């Protein structure tokens, strides 16, 4: 069910198929094989995996000591995965699961992402890139987000090539299974389209003036800058606090 029906509606991973669960044709095939083999665990996983995740999430939320399934108000899952919805009114957002009733004044639809297997609870980071005034670049950008307690490596900013226009801001949501701590730097790597047929149409550079990161669970925001805002294709720039 992906329609809001209560005072507080939580939509983990958009509320539909859950990470780690078989989708579509795989469900049918897995269900048939489970029946033929009398493998009821396989049958349950194929038919009801996404539904049974609710039990997994609730159980983990009861036992949680650090990660608490914090969820964020948003108009849609598309806006959420675009990194547009990690702000919490008053600095605190509801927690999905056992502690949901502690937020009696909250109402609306709340979104979060989880891991594909336990432990499911995850940490969320909204990352935005602000472009400069001179260059329109097209290609892919990957990120490495470095924190005091770890890093998130090889983050794809988009699923494919993007056009980065001057004086614009682009954002995305990054999920991590671990809390990497206070953000220390972000490494931005640019790659223009590689086709020999059309590659000449695009600039060899992208211009990223600064990076903003919001650690959603702690509601801490940081702006990061670099001395070299023009990034050549197949090259990287490191942004630190400014």
């Amino acid at each position: 069910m992906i329609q809001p029906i209560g005072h507080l509606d939580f939509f983990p991973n958009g509320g539909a198929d859950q990470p780690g669960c078989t989708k579509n044709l795989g469900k049918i095939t897995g269900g048939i094989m489970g029946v033929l083999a009398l493998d009821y665990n396989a049958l349950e996983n194929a038919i009801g995996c996404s539904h049974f995740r609710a039990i997994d999430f609730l159980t983990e939320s009861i036992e949680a000591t650090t990660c608490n399934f914090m969820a964020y108000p948003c108009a849609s899952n598309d806006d959420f995965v675009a990194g547009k919805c990690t702000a919490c009114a008053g600095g605190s957002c509801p927690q999905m699961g056992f502690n949901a009733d502690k937020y009696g004044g909250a109402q609306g639809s709340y979104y979060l992402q989880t891991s594909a297997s336990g432990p499911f609870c995850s940490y969320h980071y909204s990352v935005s890139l602000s472009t400069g005034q001179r260059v329109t670049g097209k290609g892919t950008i990957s990120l490495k987000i470095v924190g005091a307690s770890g890093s998130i490596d090889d983050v794809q900013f988009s699923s494919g090539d993007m056009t980065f226009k001057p004086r614009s801001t682009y954002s995305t949501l990054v999920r991590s299974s671990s809390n990497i701590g206070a953000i220390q730097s972000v490494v931005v790597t640019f790659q223009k389209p590689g086709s020999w047929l059309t590659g000449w149409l695009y600039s060899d550079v992208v211009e990223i003036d600064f990076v903003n990161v919001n650690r959603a669970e702690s509601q801490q925001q940081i702006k990061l800058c670099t001395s070299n805002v023009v990034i050549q294709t197949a090259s990287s720039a490191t942004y630190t606090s400014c």
Side-chain angles (χ1 to χ4, degrees):
M1 179 178 292
I2 58 174
Q3 298 299 320
I5 58 172
H7 292 95
L8 274 175
D9 292 280
F10 295 97
F11 295 94
N13 308 299
D17 290 321
Q18 298 297 299
C21 292
T22 308
K23 295 183 179 180
N24 304 325
L25 180 61
K27 289 182 179 180
I28 300 173
T29 304
I32 293 172
M33 296 303 295
V35 170
L36 294 177
L38 297 180
D39 185 343
Y40 296 107
N41 286 331
L43 178 62
E44 177 183 288
N45 182 68
I47 302 302
C49 176
S50 291
H51 293 285
F52 281 99
R53 278 287 190 265
I55 299 173
D56 297 329
F57 296 158
L58 178 60
T59 301
E60 190 173 314
S61 74
I62 294 172
E63 301 170 346
T65 57
T66 53
C67 191
N68 296 307
F69 288 99
M70 189 175 288
Y72 305 90
C74 202
S76 70
N77 188 58
D78 287 343
D79 282 349
F80 182 63
V81 299
K84 299 177 180 179
C85 306
T86 55
C88 298
S92 179
C93 280
Q95 297 174 14
M96 183 182 73
F98 184 70
N99 293 311
D101 62 349
K102 294 182 180 179
Y103 300 85
Q107 293 188 8
S109 299
Y110 291 80
Y111 293 81
L112 70 160
Q113 293 187 341
T114 71
S115 298
S117 59
F120 295 98
C121 189
S122 296
Y123 297 87
H124 303 81
Y125 302 83
S126 175
V127 181
S128 64
L129 308 178
S130 295
T131 58
Q133 300 182 16
R134 296 166 291 178
V135 179
T136 296
K138 181 174 183 178
T140 58
I141 282 182
S142 61
L143 309 172
K144 178 178 181 180
I145 306 172
V146 180
S149 305
S151 65
I152 311 171
D153 301 328
D154 196 25
V155 175
Q156 298 304 307
F157 191 79
S158 66
S159 58
D161 290 334
M162 285 182 63
T163 298
F164 297 89
K165 297 180 180 180
R167 298 181 297 278
S168 300
T169 298
Y170 303 88
S171 63
T172 193
L173 182 76
V174 177
R175 184 198 66 81
S176 175
S177 297
S178 60
N179 183 358
I180 65 171
I183 303 301
Q184 296 183 332
S185 64
V186 174
V187 181
V188 179
T189 302
F190 172 64
Q191 180 66 59
K192 80 169 188 177
S195 170
W196 66 269
L197 189 62
T198 59
W200 63 273
L201 294 171
Y202 309 112
S203 171
D204 287 336
V205 302
V206 68
E207 185 179 9
I208 306 296
D209 272 1
F210 56 89
V211 179
N212 277 306
V213 180
N214 178 31
R215 295 175 61 202
E217 276 68 27
S218 63
Q219 291 292 286
Q220 294 179 342
Q221 298 188 40
I222 183 171
K223 180 179 180 180
L224 304 108
C225 304
T226 186
S227 58
N228 182 19
V229 299
V230 177
I231 308 172
Q232 299 285 336
T233 186
S235 299
S236 302
T238 299
Y239 291 72
T240 55
S241 178
C242 56

